[in-house]
Amino acid sequence: MTEANTKKNGFWSPDTASYFIAGGVAGATSRTIVSPLERLKIIQQVQPRGSDGQYKGVWRSLVRMWKEEGFKGYMRGNGINCLRIVPYSAVQFTTYEQLKKIITSSVSGELDTPTRLVSGAMAGITSVCSTYPLDLVRSRLSIATASLSLQNQSSPAPSPAPASVHNMKQTRVSVCHTSSSIPRAVYSKADLSILGMTLKVMREEGGIRGLYRGLTATAIGVAPYVGINFAAYEGLRSIITPPGKSSVTRKLICGALAGSISQTLTFPFDVLRRKMQVVGMASKGLGYKYNGAIDASMTIVRTEGLQGLYRGLWPNLLKVAPSIATSFFTYELVKELLITP
């Protein structure tokens, strides 16, 4: 094999760079489109059960988010989400493509479903381990403003106020995210930035180790999710987009169905991930104090029933379908533009 061929077929070949770029673009595009639903899902997963100010219903919650925080509320946490999802998606697609090449070069024929599942699972674990701290900080930022608005209400009123002032306070209370009787975290303006929240977690929760809280539950959930996602997508492509019928609509349908199937089957792991990521805020308003993923899952089932493991599923499905559809479509489109025949 010549040096030119070695460079072309090596791990860091031009094709690999194309996979990486296409994966990053696909991730950023898909997550920005569904940012409001992503934030709503996180809030519904971590909000205390039975509180007066719960987010209930997808449409009502989105309207409420707009009224309380405007467009910024929809995009809250999306900056770090894109910062996380670009390398996450890039590593995931690149790893999957490279594993496919390695496996197909050692065995004859196309990948079967079990092989796609394993390749996808390995790609998922690789990507999540490389970007997990950003995911944790993003989760904290997504719910931080809820805690902040509540904190302002935690101090009791010194004396009865005139009617007009009292009405203003009541209006302020009505937009709280959780019950006003729960202790809240105090966040400074500096804490509500990517760097500020990162430093706060490291300062208060055991340094760098605090940035990896919930990694085990996440990896366990991501492995089957990504594996099923890739396997379902490629399997559906052979059925829905046969040769000569690969329209944009058909490709988007494949991605939407694949994402919905994989997310529904693995959603309890996503709930555990969010619970573990905010467990450090147990004394600051969310009431969580778990000793690990197993303890968290048992506590949730005991206190909330099995439905507790599926909190936020509906808005998440509304998010996942267009997100995965956009991700796969954008990835293939950019990859085709970058890779010359």
Side-chain angles (χ1 to χ4, degrees):
M1 182 180 290
T2 65
E3 183 178 349
N5 288 334
T6 301
K7 183 177 180 180
K8 181 176 180 181
N9 296 321
F11 188 87
W12 293 110
S13 65
D15 283 359
T16 304
S18 299
Y19 301 149
F20 198 85
I21 295 172
V25 173
T29 303
S30 62
R31 287 309 174 96
T32 300
I33 288 175
V34 298
S35 178
L37 290 169
E38 173 69 14
R39 187 183 178 215
L40 175 59
K41 180 200 73 171
I42 294 175
I43 291 176
Q44 288 190 336
Q45 285 179 335
V46 303
Q47 64 186 351
R49 186 186 182 197
S51 60
D52 295 336
Q54 275 195 320
Y55 274 78
K56 296 180 180 179
V58 176
W59 177 248
R60 282 190 302 166
S61 296
L62 290 176
V63 171
R64 174 182 173 182
M65 195 182 297
W66 175 267
K67 289 181 178 179
E68 293 180 12
E69 302 179 62
F71 182 74
K72 288 184 178 180
Y74 283 167
M75 294 294 113
R76 181 76 64 183
N78 189 58
I80 190 170
N81 199 20
C82 287
L83 183 63
R84 177 193 72 91
I85 202 64
V86 167
Y88 174 86
S89 182
V91 170
Q92 187 176 106
F93 276 107
T94 303
T95 303
Y96 183 71
E97 293 281 8
Q98 292 299 94
L99 287 173
K100 283 174 60 178
K101 285 185 177 181
I102 293 173
I103 295 173
T104 53
S105 64
S106 60
V107 297
S108 58
E110 292 291 327
L111 272 69
D112 55 13
T113 299
T115 306
R116 289 171 181 164
L117 285 169
V118 173
S119 299
M122 293 177 66
I125 292 174
T126 302
S127 58
V128 78
C129 288
S130 62
T131 61
Y132 188 77
L134 289 171
D135 187 36
L136 182 140
V137 173
R138 188 264 302 209
S139 296
R140 296 293 182 89
L141 285 173
S142 293
I143 64 172
T145 51
S147 299
L148 181 61
S149 63
L150 280 170
Q151 171 63 24
N152 293 337
Q153 299 301 320
S154 60
S155 57
S159 61
S164 59
V165 177
H166 179 72
N167 290 338
M168 291 173 62
K169 290 188 175 182
Q170 290 298 325
T171 300
R172 178 58 177 154
V173 171
S174 68
V175 300
C176 290
H177 295 231
T178 54
S179 175
S180 60
S181 62
I182 299 173
R184 290 110 184 168
V186 177
Y187 293 97
S188 66
K189 186 176 181 180
D191 291 334
L192 298 179
S193 65
I194 296 172
L195 178 60
M197 186 62 73
T198 301
L199 294 177
K200 182 178 178 66
V201 172
M202 294 179 63
R203 184 173 61 248
E204 299 180 359
E205 301 178 36
I208 295 178
R209 183 179 179 181
L211 294 174
Y212 286 88
R213 188 185 299 276
L215 176 60
T216 301
T218 301
I220 293 174
V222 164
Y225 168 71
V226 178
I228 295 171
N229 203 20
F230 277 111
Y233 178 73
E234 294 201 23
L236 290 168
R237 281 293 304 271
S238 63
I239 299 172
I240 300 176
T241 60
K245 294 184 179 181
S246 57
S247 64
V248 172
T249 302
R250 286 174 176 267
K251 290 180 179 179
L252 290 173
I253 290 174
C254 287
L257 289 175
S260 299
I261 292 170
S262 58
Q263 186 68 98
T264 300
L265 293 176
T266 62
F267 192 73
F269 291 109
D270 193 48
V271 173
L272 287 176
R273 171 171 60 142
R274 299 303 176 196
K275 295 282 192 179
M276 294 301 297
Q277 285 177 342
V278 299
V279 72
M281 306 165 82
S283 61
K284 301 179 179 68
L286 292 176
Y288 305 138
K289 191 175 181 180
Y290 304 129
N291 296 318
I294 296 177
D295 178 55
S297 60
M298 293 177 64
T299 302
I300 293 170
V301 173
R302 184 174 64 251
T303 58
E304 304 177 36
L306 290 176
Q307 64 268 28
L309 294 173
Y310 285 89
R311 289 176 64 184
L313 176 61
W314 176 237
N316 198 52
L317 288 178
L318 294 179
K319 179 208 73 170
V320 162
S323 175
I324 300 300
T326 303
S327 179
F328 275 118
F329 177 76
T330 304
Y331 173 74
E332 293 191 356
L333 178 64
V334 176
K335 183 177 72 172
E336 290 175 2
L337 292 174
L338 294 176
I339 298 180
T340 56

